Amino acid sequence: MKLLLAEDDLRLGRLVRHMLEKEGHQVTWVHEGQEAYQEAMVGEFDLLILDWMLPKMSGIEVLHRLREEGFQGGVLMLTAKDEVEDRVKGLNTGADDYLVKPFEFPELFARIRALGRRSFTPFKEDQVKAGNLLLNTVTRTLIREGREIPLTLREFQLMELFMRNPGQVLPRELIWDRIWGYDADVTSNILDATVKLLRKKIEDPDGKRIIHSIRGIGYKLEV
């Protein structure tokens, strides 16, 4: 994969780049946020790995600006922040995954593989329709009643999983496997936070619920 690594700790950045290149990835390493933003806008990267605390522009600011500009690529945040509120903030800003420092390299590699993995269902068609929702798997856009709804990579993958299985109860374990992978350290908080953010985007505040929580089991899409 072609990766952009933004890490201002020179020792850690050098080590991470070396280990990623040993895994066969092509890595561009930058040391501060403004440069990360510029590289991401002009380069064609499969995945961005952003440290939360970067000079000149923080990783979360870089992510926010990129999503506002329509960047649809995968983003993995590296951070020492491990509170639930911080995880939700990162996901709310548009991060697709979250890795807390210090981390082990096998876990980093597993998360990168999971982010690079496409939906488990082969693309049999360019568009998936469920009720008044239309998902384009080529442009990775979601349309509801003529309105385009921007989605992060994780939100897109989750929405495609729901829309390809409307009315079916999807167990939490299945969602973890299909979206994150069993080899990734995914917590219930991250899954629930992603669903919560997706609901805010696709459901009307006063309208009926589309994504239903099935207590003790998982989730179901009803359109």
Side-chain angles (χ1 to χ4, degrees), residues 90-106:
L91 292 168
N92 195 28
T93 305
D96 297 294
D97 207 346
Y98 194 105
L99 186 57
V100 177
K101 297 178 178 179
F103 54 83
E104 299 292 333
F105 280 102

Side-chain angles (χ1 to χ4, degrees), residues 53-104:
M53 301 301 293
L54 291 170
K56 297 188 179 181
M57 185 188 301
S58 70
I60 204 73
E61 290 174 316
V62 172
L63 176 58
H64 178 70
R65 288 187 59 182
L66 288 173
R67 293 307 190 201
E68 281 193 328
E69 295 290 336
F71 179 80
Q72 295 292 314
V75 177
L76 171 64
M77 294 295 297
L78 300 180
T79 179
K81 298 176 179 289
D82 193 25
E83 297 297 324
V84 172
E85 293 80 6
D86 295 317
R87 291 174 181 265
V88 171
K89 181 179 180 182
L91 292 168
N92 195 28
T93 305
D96 297 294
D97 207 346
Y98 194 105
L99 186 57
V100 177
K101 297 178 178 179
F103 54 83
E104 299 292 333

Side-chain angles (χ1 to χ4, degrees), residues 155-169:
E155 291 168 349
F156 172 84
Q157 292 175 326
L158 187 57
M159 198 63 207
E160 183 180 9
L161 181 60
F162 284 141
M163 290 180 64
R164 289 190 181 276
N165 300 276
Q168 297 185 35
V169 178

